[in-house]
Amino acid sequence: FFSSSSSSSSTSHLVQYALPDFDTLHHGHRVTKEKPAPKGLQTLSFAVERFAVPELLFNPVEAGIPQRGLVDIAADAVAACHPDLEASLLDNILVCGGNAAIPNFAERLQRDLRASSSIDVSGVNVFRPDEPAVFSWHGGVALAQQPVFRKHVVTKAEYNERGADACRRTFGSFYTESSVPKPRP
């Protein structure tokens, strides 16, 4: 999928994982000579699945899934914005979440976006933070710590007291009746 070893042996891509039992092992890990699986724990072995499953993010049609791949989705998102923003958006693509930790994920997305016939700009840059799985959470924490954030929050207590009026007052034009759940009696 993303990069392959020059070895022709099918076992060269075999990886074994020790699964947590939440008694003796709380977090699973990759089994290596230095870190073997604890005795009695279940393990999972992956070979070509390590490459075939991530490939579906780029080409879901290959598995019979009638969806567009990441490159098409990203190109559509950029095309939906003002044309003057296209170059800046393509030059600053940030991937985060667990899938961004797949080896060479950002590089593959960048290469495929550059080769896409629907994108006219050559300056495509895809960035991956050091810890992509928690990057969005860290951003949310940073946002929540800003003093201005309090102006954009409706607490449960406020909503229970004022209902939809609390949302209208706080969110103004972004608020729609159908986007707010009804309070429980």
Side-chain angles (χ1 to χ4, degrees):
F1 167 61
F2 290 102
S3 63
S4 61
S5 164
S6 60
S7 170
S8 62
S9 168
S10 63
T11 60
S12 66
H13 296 298
L14 184 66
V15 175
Q16 198 171 34
Y17 293 91
L19 301 177
D21 65 356
F22 302 105
D23 216 9
T24 57
L25 185 65
H26 293 281
H27 299 284
H29 64 83
R30 187 175 178 170
V31 175
T32 63
K33 289 179 184 176
E34 297 79 32
K35 195 171 183 179
K39 190 170 183 132
L41 282 185
Q42 290 183 330
T43 59
L44 257 173
S45 297
F46 291 100
V48 297
E49 299 88 358
R50 293 175 49 227
F51 308 102
V53 171
E55 179 64 26
L56 295 179
L57 295 170
F58 290 88
N59 297 304
V61 174
E62 288 184 11
I65 302 169
Q67 299 289 324
R68 301 181 75 202
L70 285 178
V71 173
D72 292 331
I73 293 168
D76 288 351
V78 170
C81 297
H82 192 280
D84 292 346
L85 298 174
E86 184 174 302
S88 294
L89 292 172
L90 290 171
D91 193 39
N92 293 291
I93 297 171
L94 177 74
V95 292
C96 56
N99 286 334
I102 295 170
N104 300 314
F105 179 85
E107 293 84 355
R108 164 76 184 273
L109 182 59
Q110 180 172 298
R111 184 190 75 218
D112 288 5
L113 279 168
R114 285 181 177 165
S116 173
S117 61
S118 62
I119 295 178
D120 297 330
V121 179
S122 60
V124 175
N125 290 299
V126 178
F127 304 96
R128 186 187 80 102
D130 290 335
E131 295 184 49
V134 295
F135 189 76
S136 296
W137 182 82
H138 286 296
V141 168
L143 176 64
Q145 292 173 344
Q146 299 298 314
V148 71
F149 182 73
R150 181 66 185 106
K151 295 177 187 174
H152 303 284
V153 171
V154 174
T155 66
K156 184 174 184 334
E158 288 174 313
Y159 187 79
N160 286 343
E161 183 179 328
R162 295 186 190 93
D165 287 336
C167 295
R168 267 190 225 83
R169 180 181 44 84
T170 303
F171 305 125
S173 63
F174 296 109
Y175 168 79
T176 62
E177 284 287 335
S178 62
S179 67
V180 179
K182 302 289 181 215
R184 293 181 193 173

